[in-house]
Every structure is written in C-alpha cells, then in structure tokens.
Amino acid sequence: MPVEVATRVLSADHDATLAAARALGDGGLVAFPTETVYGLGADATNGTAVARLYAAKGRPRFNPLIAHVADLAAARRLAVFNADAERLARAFWPGPLTLVLPKLLGCPVSQLATAGLDTIAVRVPDHPVAHDILAALGKPVVAPSANRSGHVSPTTAAHVRGDLDGRVDLILDGGPTSVGVESTIVACLGAPVLLRPGGLPREDIERVLGRALADDSSPSGEAPLAPGMLGSHYAPKTPLRLNARSVNAGEVLLAFGADAPAGAKTLNLSVSGDLVEAAANLFSHLRALDAVGASAIAVMPIPNDGLGEAINDRFARAAAPRP
Ligand code: TXA
Ligand code: MG
C-alpha cells in the first residue's frame, strides 16, 4: 500500500495547469485529461517519481509507460523515427496515436519507465490542458491511464478520484474526455505493427502508410509486444455477456443502435449507431452498469470497423477470464 497523501482536485484553468507542471517538476503525481482518457503523470526523467507512479496504480513493473511530449521536436529527443514513423507523426500528432520506437542513445527517460526495454512508447496528446502542462514543464511525462491497474480507464475526474484518491497529489478536472478509448499503439521498429487498437482507427493509419498494418501476432496474455495487453484488463466486477440480442433476468443491458430490446436497465452507447459517440460513452457506461450489481452486463454487437475495433477489443478483454 503506497503512502497516503492528500489529493487536491482543481478545475483545469490556467493557474491549475501551472500548479500541475510545478508539482510534476517536484516529483509529484498529477492526473490530467487527454483527448483519450485521463492520464496519471510523473516526470519521466525522475526515477523516484516513476516508482511512486507504479506503486500508486498497483501496476506491475514489467509493463512500460508511454512518454508524453508537447510536440514532434520533443519526441525526437527521445526516439528514432524511421520513414513510416515520420509519416504517421506528421499526419496524426497531436492526436490519439502512440508510436513505439527505438530509444535514442542518451534518452533521458528513466529505465524504470521503459521497463528496461530498448524501445520507447511516445505520444503527443491533443488536449489543451495536457499540452500546456507538457509545454510548461519542458520534460517528458509518463502517463498511464489514471486508474488502478486492471480497472476500467477513467474518462472523468470523478472516475480518477474513485480509483486514486489518497494516492496522487493532484487531479485536474477538465471535464469528460472526447475520444473515450486509449490511443492506438503502432510499433515502427521494422514494418509497422498494430499493438493496440484505439482512438485512431486502423483505416486512417493504413491510408497514410499506403498499405495494411500487421497485427501483433504474439498470443494474448503471454508475451505480447505491448506488455500491457494482458488478456484480462479493463475489467468491471460484473461479468460481461457479449453479442447479446436479448436480455436475461437479472441482467442489465449495454445497448448500441435504435433497436435495443426493452425490459432491463439499459444504457445506450449510441442510439444513432455512431461509433465515435459509442467510444466516448464506453467506459462511463461500463462503470455505471457495473455499479448496479446485476448478474451480468449483456452487451449488444458492435460493428468492427472504425473505432469499433477498439471498442470490441476492450469488450473482449473485459469479458476474458480473470487471473
Ligand atoms: O491514450 C492513452 O494512451 C493513455 C493516455 C493517458 O495517454 N495512456 C495509456 O497508457 O493508455 P497505459 O499505460 O494504460 O497503456 C500503455 C500501453 C501498455 O499496454 C504498455 O504495455 C504499452 O503501452 N507500451 C508502453 N511502452 C511500450 C514499449 N516500449 N513497447 C511496447 N508496448 C509498450
Ligand atoms: Mg491503462
């Protein structure tokens, strides 16, 4: 159990953003909004702060963190960009894309944050609060999703507080996040490989690359290229029943589209069948239905194109057997 601290929650205005940068510079842990989900930040160059971050989340230390920077110029001080990485960064940064790249010689990010790997995950978030913190600090910030390890990712400051109150120094409240699922992770170490479907659809990436993205072929839960992609992750307490077209007694329903079966407590990801809206609602609806204490959450089928790939990935993990 990490040392209990007093957690401040501040509305993410200009002064709070500067206070956040100062707290990070002093080795503190600060949760802040990005366009995908809330992140729990620590100064990536401060090994002690990074160690505190792993403890606060209860995160296994073999699972490396994403370094967040303000712009491409700052990313070039951490990692080596091949031609594909260059093209993707120019097309999609700032935005919900993380690139896994060879670590630059002399990269200032703590070894603990990269779990001793010779690669590093880098991202430039597209959110004014995240950007202003990174610009004010002038250093990379490692920021996993601001939840306890294994829990559903937070899309509001209240979600963060529920998981991490007493474990982090500061939470900046910037309202609900717009994308709602974590960034897409692509490794550019040779031919580009999709490590985690996320907030940037595969189709957009393939259009810019001019070819198909390979999938991470390592067996789920064993030694995936993205070590955090363990089978059971993003897990609510209530079991999920996927591809449900009807609701059983005792179940609640996570619906999608206009023709949801009636009769149970229901939250709809998108009545109009919009996958962007569905991604934005995904984690808050899962948390709300989990709190009901139903026998299961019945989940209606979601198409697998666009953001549907990331949504279905999170459902599959949430429904996977628990370790
Ligand atoms: O949208 C996001 O990416 C959010 C926001 C806060 O930026 N962050 C996030 O971080 O989702 P986290 O720690 O929850 O997920 C990071 C994933 C993990 O699966 C981790 O294993 C993988 O990135 N990862 C980090 N460094 C890696 C590396 N060098 N090689 C392969 N995978 C890596
Ligand atoms: Mg996470």
Side-chain angles (χ1 to χ4, degrees):
M1 176 67 196
V3 181
E4 175 96 11
V5 296
T7 301
R8 286 189 300 156
V9 182
L10 296 175
S11 172
D13 59 17
H14 179 70
D15 288 348
T17 303
L18 293 181
R22 265 197 312 276
L24 287 167
D26 291 342
L29 301 183
V30 177
F32 59 88
T34 79
E35 79 280 33
T36 56
V37 301
Y38 275 72
L40 177 59
D43 174 353
T45 68
N46 179 338
T48 309
V50 175
R52 270 190 77 206
L53 191 159
Y54 276 95
K57 272 195 60 117
R59 180 176 176 113
R61 291 202 179 186
F62 61 77
N63 189 3
L65 304 169
I66 299 172
H68 295 63
V69 289
D71 52 34
L72 178 55
R76 288 191 203 287
R77 295 195 278 275
L78 308 182
V80 182
F81 286 70
N82 66 14
D84 287 325
E86 192 76 40
R87 208 168 289 134
L88 294 177
R90 285 179 186 280
F92 298 117
W93 280 357
L97 172 69
T98 294
L99 295 175
V100 170
L101 305 171
K103 220 199 266 188
L104 193 71
L105 202 66
C107 169
V109 170
S110 129
Q111 288 278 347
L112 182 56
T114 52
L117 299 173
D118 52 10
T119 59
I120 183 166
V122 189
R123 132 168 163 81
V124 178
D126 184 17
H127 191 290
V129 173
H131 174 271
D132 291 354
I133 292 172
L134 294 168
L137 181 65
K139 289 181 185 178
V141 169
V142 282
S145 49
N147 50 280
R148 296 267 197 105
S149 188
H151 284 196
V152 174
S153 288
T155 56
T156 67
H159 295 162
V160 178
R161 197 170 186 189
D163 263 28
L164 296 175
D165 193 25
R167 293 171 172 245
V168 305
D169 300 292
L170 178 59
I171 299 171
L172 287 198
D173 186 350
T177 62
S178 59
V179 175
V181 290
E182 303 86 346
S183 60
T184 302
I185 306 182
V186 174
C188 291
L189 303 171
V193 178
L194 179 67
L195 300 186
R196 176 176 76 181
L200 180 66
R202 168 200 290 273
E203 296 89 333
D204 295 11
I205 297 170
E206 294 182 336
R207 202 172 308 118
V208 164
L209 290 174
R211 66 192 143 117
L213 262 179
D215 285 299
D216 180 4
S217 55
S218 45
S220 166
E222 265 176 41
L225 266 172
M229 297 301 281
L230 304 172
S232 167
H233 205 64
Y234 311 99
K237 291 188 289 294
T238 314
L240 259 61
R241 187 168 66 81
L242 302 184
N243 288 313
R245 294 180 192 274
S246 59
V247 202
N248 299 331
E251 290 183 340
V252 290
L253 177 67
L254 186 57
F256 178 78
D259 38 45
K265 173 172 173 61
T266 298
L267 290 176
N268 201 315
L269 290 169
S270 170
V271 175
S272 67
D274 176 356
L275 289 167
V276 173
E277 183 185 13
N281 287 328
L282 177 66
F283 291 139
S284 57
H285 281 12
L286 269 180
R287 280 178 185 257
L289 290 177
D290 194 22
V292 173
S295 62
I297 302 173
V299 180
M300 287 179 70
I302 309 270
N304 207 45
D305 57 311
L307 289 183
E309 186 176 10
I311 297 171
N312 283 320
D313 170 83
R314 303 310 184 265
F315 283 148
R317 287 173 204 290
R322 311 290 157 83

